[in-house]
Amino acid sequence: QSGIGPKEELARHDIPLVADLAVGKNLQDHILFAVTALLNGHHGNNKEDAESLSSFLQYFIWQTGVMASPGVDLTGFVQTKYAIAENSTRPDIQFVILCFGGASDLASVLFNTRKELLHFLFRSSNATNIAGLNSCDFFPILLHPESRGQIRLLSTNPFDSPIIEPNFFSSQRDVDVLRESFKMLLDIFDAKPLKKLMDADGRDPLATLKQAKVVSGCALGSMDVSDDCLERVSQHFTSTVWHYISTCKMGPHSDPGAVVGPDLKVHGLDGIRVADASIMPTLPSGNTNAPTIMIGEKAADMIKTYWSMSD
């Protein structure tokens, strides 16, 4: 109950106002959706391989094999036609590839995936049982969404979880860009080197998508797949990337949406700074971990400089 936040939100909970600032507003996050592709032969990784004695010895002696994988086997940054049309200098999509795909039992261990979700995706009685098969997960990530969410108070009890409203896809442009990334992904799947690995021993490489009810009737894997199908897929399999930022946005005092200034001090108050991902005005074209560490390091330098000058 600091009293620092939007005036109307604090009044709703009868919290005395200390500073009317846009705390909790402008919530942003990277958005991804997952496509699990089945692989043929012994490509990809699974739980049995990861836990085998041979894998342990391979890593111990040569530092190679499944245990040497950093988890993310491949990543790349691209521009869709929307970024190109705007003459943007930055990518708007990141592709992340993990070769222990969602159909493998290894992924369920690593991601602590709910059993109900695995059953729905990979153990449907209406489709070929593909659970445990070798696979790769392909994640197109929307790097610069236009959609904005917010975080609000549930009550005055600090132990009550807040109300988080991501508002994903409140901007149609986000839907369009993510749909375009799916088209690019289908092009990648159609490339000869990858297509050879995705033969899946006669099984459909994209069976994990096709057995879901939301995409029934969609000709996935076909280059004439409709935009409607692509939109349904990309929104249905959407997830957060846990890169939430900007609920204490940095900006000048004249900006009504800003909470802290360039020195990370909260506007209008003394003795309080914010030094985490919430001060980022916009999302970076990549993970937020390194920038957040930089923010903490910069804050430490500014605080040390301030006190050394005070002495």
Side-chain angles (χ1 to χ4, degrees), residues 263-264 273-280 288-304:
D263 55 3
L264 304 185
R273 300 182 199 241
V274 180
D276 57 29
S278 68
I279 66 103
M280 298 182 194
T288 52
N289 180 50
T292 304
I293 293 172
M294 182 277 296
I295 291 168
E297 294 282 357
K298 180 63 176 178
D301 287 344
M302 288 190 293
I303 292 169
K304 287 189 292 185

Side-chain angles (χ1 to χ4, degrees), residues 216-286:
S216 59
C218 289
L220 295 176
S222 168
M223 299 317 295
D224 60 354
V225 60
S226 70
D227 283 354
D228 173 66
C229 284
L230 294 176
E231 286 187 16
R232 280 192 282 152
V233 171
S234 58
Q235 292 183 72
H236 184 74
F237 291 94
T238 297
S239 170
T240 173
V241 190
W242 298 280
H243 289 176
Y244 290 116
I245 68 153
S246 205
T247 50
C248 287
K249 174 186 170 183
M250 179 173 62
H253 201 285
S254 57
D255 181 353
V259 176
V260 301
D263 55 3
L264 304 185
K265 292 181 179 179
V266 176
H267 287 311
L269 298 174
D270 293 324
I272 180 171
R273 300 182 199 241
V274 180
D276 57 29
S278 68
I279 66 103
M280 298 182 194
T282 56
L283 280 162
S285 299

Side-chain angles (χ1 to χ4, degrees), residues 101-130:
S104 74
D105 43 14
L106 178 59
S108 64
V109 174
L110 293 175
F111 296 124
N112 194 27
T113 311
R114 287 189 300 134
K115 291 181 180 179
E116 297 88 348
L117 180 59
L118 285 176
H119 180 80
F120 171 75
L121 290 176
F122 307 124
R123 293 172 173 81
S124 169
S125 59
N126 298 323
T128 304
N129 188 351
I130 57 178

Side-chain angles (χ1 to χ4, degrees), residues 25 49 53 58 88 108 144 169 198 221 248 271 303:
K25 304 294 186 181
D49 289 337
L53 177 60
Q58 184 180 3
S88 175
S108 64
H144 301 290
F169 302 122
M198 291 174 56
C248 287
I303 292 169

Side-chain angles (χ1 to χ4, degrees), residues 79-90 92 144 146 173 177:
Q79 285 187 316
T80 67
K81 65 181 183 181
Y82 298 100
I84 294 172
E86 295 168 354
N87 292 318
S88 175
T89 58
R90 63 184 186 179
D92 53 352
H144 301 290
E146 290 186 348
R173 188 184 186 280
V177 173

Side-chain angles (χ1 to χ4, degrees), residues 180-192 194 223:
E180 191 66 20
S181 74
F182 196 178
K183 291 181 179 180
M184 299 173 80
L185 191 57
L186 292 177
D187 282 339
I188 294 172
F189 287 169
D190 202 45
K192 286 184 179 179
L194 190 56
M223 299 317 295

